[in-house]
Amino acid sequence: MKTFAHAVVFLCITLLSSLGNSQEVGLQLYSLREQFKTDVEGTLKLVSDWGIKSLEGGDTYGLPLGEFQDLLEKYDLQVVSVGSSFEELRDDPAAAIQRAEDYDAQYIMCAWIPHQDKFKMADAKSAVEVFNQAGKQAKAAGLTLVYHPHGYEFAKHGKGTLFDFMAEQATDFDFEMDVYWVKHGGEDPMELLNTYPDKFKLMHLKDMKAGVKGNLSGHEDVETNVTLGTGIIDIAALVRRAAELEIPYLFIEDESSGVVQQVPKSLEFLAQLRKM
């Protein structure tokens, strides 16, 4: 097992070199939410053994902040993007900013906008107002606020979508693309990147099982998350385009029950891209 882990480390380092010094492959820690429940330190060690150094997270999984930070340092891990809720950004953005500063992170990420049944223009307008206000405060602290669309934002509006409205009105916040949820919402991730080349500051790499029929609900069976390169999303092309756009962090997110087995294989797939 140790030999395999070392091999993955080598593959990951090779990948990072091929994408340039300004871009890294990281991990969204929500991927390992079940593993953290039983062994926080062992889970962080596993991430380190995979060769990953950059994280998106912010939760301490029941540990005091200082103790969790000590473990991050022990395993040479860095949280570069912290999560926040819509409600927190609306009511107490200073708390999100403080969390980012606690981890010396660069980004604050929100991944859900509360709404009833269908996401509507009123929801989009409310979100833009909240994100612009919180984003302005984040900027003043040297941070970048990004919103992670979940698919429902691609509901039709006029000649485009509600996401188009949000992107056009985003003066003080940006976006993180989760390629799975863009696809699930009926959009082409590559077309969206090309339409808004300056709007996406981070990316989630997540492949979709063949046969999945997307919708605008923002929900799907987590077991449809498959090893990168084995699903229906052109991960290779998106990684290359992300490099061209100088998106600095590509976070693997695998919410499936097979995450521990799939992430090393996903890293192998990404490492092979340098040969293509």
Side-chain angles (χ1 to χ4, degrees):
M1 190 69 179
K2 185 177 179 181
T3 301
F4 178 70
H6 286 176
V8 172
V9 170
F10 173 76
L11 288 168
C12 191
I13 290 172
T14 301
L15 167 67
L16 300 186
S17 298
S18 71
L19 294 181
N21 294 330
S22 63
Q23 191 173 51
E24 291 189 36
V25 172
L27 182 73
Q28 163 54 257
L29 288 183
Y30 185 72
S31 303
L32 296 171
R33 60 199 179 281
E34 297 301 325
Q35 287 71 26
F36 275 118
K37 290 178 182 178
T38 57
D39 187 356
V40 176
E41 180 170 2
T43 301
L44 291 176
K45 182 179 183 302
L46 177 65
V47 175
S48 180
D49 286 346
W50 284 338
I52 290 173
K53 295 185 179 297
S54 297
L55 310 174
E56 186 171 63
D59 195 344
T60 64
Y61 302 95
L63 297 181
L65 176 61
E67 187 175 337
F68 190 76
Q69 290 172 320
D70 288 344
L71 289 176
L72 292 175
E73 183 176 359
K74 178 178 180 179
Y75 293 106
D76 194 22
L77 299 170
Q78 173 67 50
V79 174
V80 298
S81 175
V82 300
S84 180
S85 68
F86 179 84
E87 292 85 354
E88 181 178 62
L89 293 173
R90 180 191 63 201
D91 302 333
D92 191 12
I97 291 170
Q98 184 61 58
R99 187 179 309 110
E101 291 178 341
D102 287 340
Y103 286 104
D104 195 25
Q106 302 163 250
Y107 302 90
I108 299 171
M109 182 275 290
C110 177
W112 191 266
I113 300 169
H115 58 279
Q116 297 294 326
D117 190 25
K118 294 182 179 179
F119 188 71
K120 300 176 181 178
M121 174 54 79
D123 302 307
K125 287 182 176 179
S126 173
V128 165
E129 182 177 355
V130 168
F131 293 150
N132 275 332
Q133 290 179 354
K136 190 174 297 183
Q137 294 181 52
K139 281 184 178 180
L143 304 167
T144 299
L145 173 64
V146 294
Y147 173 61
H148 166 313
H150 247 95
Y152 49 79
E153 306 85 352
F154 299 113
K156 298 302 179 184
H157 171 70
K159 294 182 180 180
T161 66
L162 290 174
F163 175 83
D164 292 320
F165 167 80
M166 293 181 67
E168 291 161 4
Q169 298 296 315
T171 57
D172 290 288
F173 72 97
D174 292 291
F175 297 89
E176 175 178 60
M177 177 180 285
D178 184 311
V179 300
Y180 175 102
W181 286 113
V182 171
K183 178 74 171 177
H184 197 270
E187 298 294 308
D188 182 329
M190 184 65 78
E191 286 187 12
L192 202 63
L193 275 179
N194 290 333
T195 300
Y196 298 104
D198 299 322
K199 291 291 186 181
F200 291 101
K201 304 305 182 185
L202 300 172
M203 180 177 283
H204 278 186
L205 298 179
K206 181 189 302 179
D207 213 341
M208 181 184 292
K209 185 178 180 180
V212 173
K213 295 181 179 180
N215 56 60
L216 299 177
S217 71
H219 299 287
E220 186 54 84
D221 182 354
V222 296
E223 302 307 334
T224 62
N225 291 190
V226 296
T227 301
L228 298 182
T230 67
I232 60 176
I233 298 175
D234 192 346
I235 298 294
L238 288 165
V239 167
R240 293 193 188 95
R241 184 61 177 139
E244 292 171 355
L245 295 175
E246 299 183 344
I247 296 176
Y249 296 101
L250 310 179
F251 299 109
I252 294 175
E253 184 177 41
D254 188 333
E255 300 182 46
S256 75
S257 60
V259 55
V260 172
Q261 292 74 40
Q262 290 185 176
V263 167
K265 294 177 182 178
S266 291
L267 286 168
E268 285 190 75
F269 168 77
L270 293 173
Q272 294 303 314
L273 296 184
R274 68 183 296 272
K275 300 177 182 180
M276 299 171 63

